[in-house]
Amino acid sequence: MAILSVNIGSSSAKFALYAAESHGIGALLGSGQIDNLQPGGAPQWHWQIGTTRVQESLACQHPDNPHQDALRHLQHWLQHHFADTPLTAVVHRVVHGGDYFDRAVLVNDDVMAKLASLNRLAPLHQPHNLAGIARFQAAFKNVPQVACFDTAFHAGLSPLETTFAIPAAETAAGIRRYGFHGLSYQYVAAQMAAASPRAQARMVMLHLGNGSSACATVNGRSSAMSMGFTALDGLMMGSRCGYLDAGVVLHWLAEGKDHAAIEKLLYKQSGLLGVSGLSANMRELRQAAAAGRQQARFAVDLYTHKARREVGALTACIGGLDVLVFTAGIGENDAQLRHDVCHGLSYLGVALDSGANQAANGQLRPIHSADSRVEIWVCPTDEGKNAAEQAWALLQT
């Protein structure tokens, strides 16, 4: 038996197949990612089973709906390689659970309707998450579909953290801070609890990637979070702006920009891409900066500054800092960024071991110096495995 974990986005689909054993989730059986699924795109996919790795283009029979081709290829892949491994469930990452869901749930029509009502709060993610669920429901009619939520890990946040300074009636209507990247933070918090006793004290985790955020935990529970009502808030990201004075939106409206234009600006044309004018990819920007492109250098510096600033703010919220963790694509693989963030936090007692930092990319390991008052770690995240574990636990109840 196995559980298939999927994460369907606007232009990509990530998947991982895990053995479902009597005691819980077992070995990773196979995984992969399908990219360029935007309409008119040229879908590419890569997958891995054990040491076998394959990368290839996908024949696209539906250029206006390449997600349909992606699902067809994924079905063929499962049938070819895992015909004798029946699916226990398909579990889906869903970005926004709103006030409706604080844990994994079996999907039904009522669940889908509630989640669809949240589409405008996460327009880059939620509609594609739900479309993916619908496709898998049709393709695997007798297999339970489970939804896991990025907001669930933050469900216990204090009203001091979730409430905007707006009329109480608006707060009662659901306009509040929810927090996101919860599947990642829950996984990393569990890994860190096993790796270091101090992780149960005051910890700040930096999830730095195309989507970026920060989360502070005390006793392993979310206590403060950079993201808010939507996944647009907080840190600067690949193409999202992060924190923005609401007056800027009012200014754009007064200039005549409509909802669609403003949404495109904030979600798809800002962040590293907007500031640099070149790319949303940190690796490409570092190469451009090394070649003398000043806007690329400034974009990297601004991203670093905002990450440092958020660590300071979250540290104030939880009354100190015992452990600092870097995770996600940039956090796990960019040693220079880790150095630059930590260098600006020396006043907190943060001291990096340069050699350990350079060697840590993609591995769970400490990177602090012997005299650092704060432990510093790199911890790879695995949202897919966390989702699979939640699905397995749900199916046991």
Side-chain angles (χ1 to χ4, degrees):
M1 305 291 285
I3 291 179
L4 179 66
S5 179
V6 296
N7 181 357
I8 308 293
S10 60
S11 62
S12 67
K14 300 176 183 178
F15 60 92
L17 188 69
Y18 296 92
E21 301 173 352
S22 59
H23 63 278
I25 294 301
L28 175 65
L29 303 177
S31 63
Q33 181 165 331
I34 307 173
D35 297 308
N36 297 328
L37 293 179
Q38 65 274 14
Q44 303 276 329
W45 87 328
H46 58 86
W47 55 266
Q48 181 172 351
I49 298 175
T51 58
T52 300
R53 298 185 180 186
V54 174
Q55 182 169 342
E56 57 190 355
S57 299
L58 297 186
C60 196
Q61 299 178 7
H62 305 85
D64 293 331
N65 187 10
H67 283 80
Q68 186 172 338
D69 294 297
L71 177 57
R72 176 169 52 85
H73 281 279
L74 178 54
Q75 285 179 276
H76 290 166
W77 181 80
L78 289 169
Q79 291 166 358
H80 180 72
H81 296 285
F82 300 100
D84 297 327
T85 308
L87 286 179
T88 301
V90 179
V91 58
H92 304 263
R93 175 205 180 196
V94 178
V95 167
H96 216 311
D99 284 326
Y100 298 118
F101 306 108
D102 61 2
R103 66 199 65 194
V105 295
L106 285 169
V107 175
N108 56 31
D109 291 344
D110 179 61
V111 168
M112 289 292 279
K114 288 175 178 175
L115 294 178
S117 73
L118 303 170
N119 278 353
R120 59 191 171 84
L121 304 188
L124 287 188
H125 302 89
Q126 195 88 350
H128 299 286
N129 297 159
L130 303 190
I133 293 175
R135 292 187 183 100
F136 277 87
Q137 284 178 315
F140 301 94
K141 296 183 183 298
N142 298 316
V143 177
Q145 307 290 316
V146 177
C148 292
F149 306 99
D150 266 335
T151 48
F153 182 65
H154 309 293
L157 284 173
S158 160
L160 291 175
E161 283 295 328
T162 62
T163 305
F164 293 117
I166 56 176
E170 296 294 330
T171 302
I175 309 300
R176 67 172 183 84
R177 303 182 73 246
Y178 290 94
F180 298 91
H181 286 148
L183 291 177
S184 174
Y185 287 128
Q186 185 176 30
Y187 179 85
V188 171
Q191 295 296 300
M192 288 305 305
S196 170
R198 295 185 70 187
Q200 290 297 105
R202 300 165 300 183
M203 180 166 68
V204 170
M205 297 173 281
L206 287 171
H207 178 108
L208 304 178
N210 188 55
S212 299
S213 66
C215 176
T217 59
V218 178
N219 296 325
R221 299 175 62 87
S222 179
S223 296
M225 171 67 183
S226 64
M227 282 181 167
F229 181 59
T230 71
L232 183 65
D233 200 15
L235 296 181
M236 178 178 172
M237 306 180 217
S239 63
R240 283 172 271 173
C241 63
Y243 291 121
L244 183 73
D245 182 343
V248 175
V249 177
L250 296 177
H251 171 74
W252 283 336
L253 287 170
E255 283 189 331
K257 289 184 174 65
D258 62 14
H259 177 277
I262 293 174
E263 183 176 89
K264 186 176 181 180
L265 263 173
L266 296 178
Y267 279 96
K268 298 183 178 180
Q269 297 177 329
S270 296
L272 289 169
L273 174 63
V275 174
S276 70
L278 295 172
S279 175
N281 185 287
M282 179 64 81
R283 186 178 293 107
E284 292 177 5
L285 290 178
R286 287 210 178 276
Q287 292 171 350
R293 301 290 292 271
Q294 291 304 310
Q295 279 304 107
R297 166 53 57 194
F298 182 72
V300 172
D301 288 346
L302 185 61
Y303 182 93
T304 305
H305 169 75
K306 290 183 177 295
R308 253 194 323 255
R309 176 173 176 158
E310 194 63 28
V311 173
L314 292 180
T315 297
C317 289
I318 58 176
L321 184 62
D322 298 295
V323 180
L324 176 65
V325 185
F326 292 87
T327 191
I330 297 173
E332 294 170 24
N333 296 293
D334 193 325
Q336 185 62 51
L337 179 128
R338 296 193 298 263
H339 171 274
D340 293 343
V341 169
C342 290
H343 180 71
L345 299 172
S346 59
Y347 69 95
L348 292 174
V350 172
L352 200 65
D353 181 307
S354 296
N357 181 44
Q358 290 295 327
N361 292 350
Q363 302 172 3
L364 172 63
R365 62 182 297 172
I367 57 173
H368 49 273
S369 65
D371 61 345
S372 180
R373 298 201 306 271
V374 175
E375 289 189 3
I376 315 167
W377 288 74
V378 173
C379 181
T381 191
D382 193 337
E383 294 159 305
K385 186 173 184 180
N386 182 26
E389 290 170 341
Q390 290 190 44
W392 182 89
L394 176 65
L395 294 173
Q396 307 311 303
T397 59

